[in-house]
Amino acid sequence: MVPHTTPPIWPSVRPGRFASTIRRDSANGCRIALLGLPDDTGVRLNSGRPGASDGPRAFRAALAAFGTDFDAPDSQSLAGVVFDAGDVKPVEDSSPIESMQATHERVTEAALALHERGLIVFAVGGGHDLSFPTIRALSRHTGAAVGGVNVDPHLDVRDPKTEPGSGIPFRALIEGGYLDPERFVEYGAGRFTN
């Protein structure tokens, strides 16, 4: 259904929990798509700590224990609002840089397919470089550069040509015309990390 994805793996979920209402069979009637990005190739390229690839699994485990599916202030059930599109399968059969770039193409295609179905994509990664293909897909879908907010001690504006890895997304997005720098804000930038 969604290109380049594998089915999501969920822990056991008790009935009545919000996660029990997340659809896995069809996006029909849903408004939000959960898209797992289990890849930390960019992190490893920048000599960072691997482990970001466990993000989708850890997120689903936390969500499985989350509360009810009933929104009390609006007096409505949230059943059927979220579709879990699964995880984008990373490319691992070439050099790390080529694998990262090929995975970025897969993520863009998967996220774009979800946007084209009218869904808001909630991507859970993975390395921060995966912001690049996810936001690129949104920009392509809207047909214009988008704005945004990054809350992170790192600016993530390294040159993708000379320092490919997890620190590239915002420079690559701005240079590619996908992110409008006039409508982009970075909060929490670390004093000694940039």
Side-chain angles (χ1 to χ4, degrees):
M1 176 175 182
V2 178
H4 311 296
T5 58
T6 60
I9 298 173
W10 279 85
S12 112
V13 179
R14 291 191 333 218
R17 296 285 184 180
F18 173 71
S20 70
T21 70
I22 294 175
R23 301 206 40 202
R24 298 172 201 149
D25 59 338
S26 167
N28 291 341
C30 295
R31 306 249 355 239
I32 298 169
L34 174 61
L35 183 63
L37 307 176
D39 181 60
D40 58 12
T41 303
V43 174
R44 287 183 274 116
L45 278 167
N46 289 147
S47 301
R49 292 177 305 216
S53 60
D54 293 330
R57 181 200 53 75
F59 182 81
R60 288 183 181 104
L63 197 55
F66 192 69
T68 181
D69 69 345
F70 188 74
D71 180 10
D74 287 341
S75 297
Q76 66 180 359
S77 171
L78 297 174
V81 172
V82 179
F83 166 65
D84 191 336
D87 294 341
V88 174
K89 185 171 176 29
V91 175
E92 299 173 345
D93 59 354
S94 52
S95 76
I97 294 171
E98 290 170 341
S99 292
M100 182 185 75
Q101 292 167 338
T103 298
H104 287 182
E105 291 302 321
R106 285 184 173 187
V107 171
T108 298
E109 290 175 28
L112 189 55
L114 293 165
H115 285 302
E116 288 171 352
R117 289 187 170 102
L119 297 163
I120 297 167
V121 177
F122 184 83
V124 179
H128 207 182
D129 60 284
L130 296 165
S131 296
F132 170 71
T134 307
I135 296 168
R136 175 173 63 180
L138 176 61
S139 173
R140 286 183 177 170
H141 175 70
T142 64
V146 297
V149 176
N150 178 39
V151 181
D152 188 344
H154 307 102
L155 296 176
D156 291 326
V157 291
R158 292 181 183 172
D159 186 341
K161 295 172 194 75
T162 60
E163 294 183 89
S166 63
I168 66 155
F170 301 116
R171 180 174 183 162
L173 286 162
I174 290 168
E175 289 179 350
Y178 306 113
L179 182 64
D180 179 355
E182 297 291 322
R183 296 184 302 131
F184 176 61
V185 178
E186 300 226 41
Y187 284 114
R191 190 170 173 191
F192 300 108
T193 58
N194 297 291

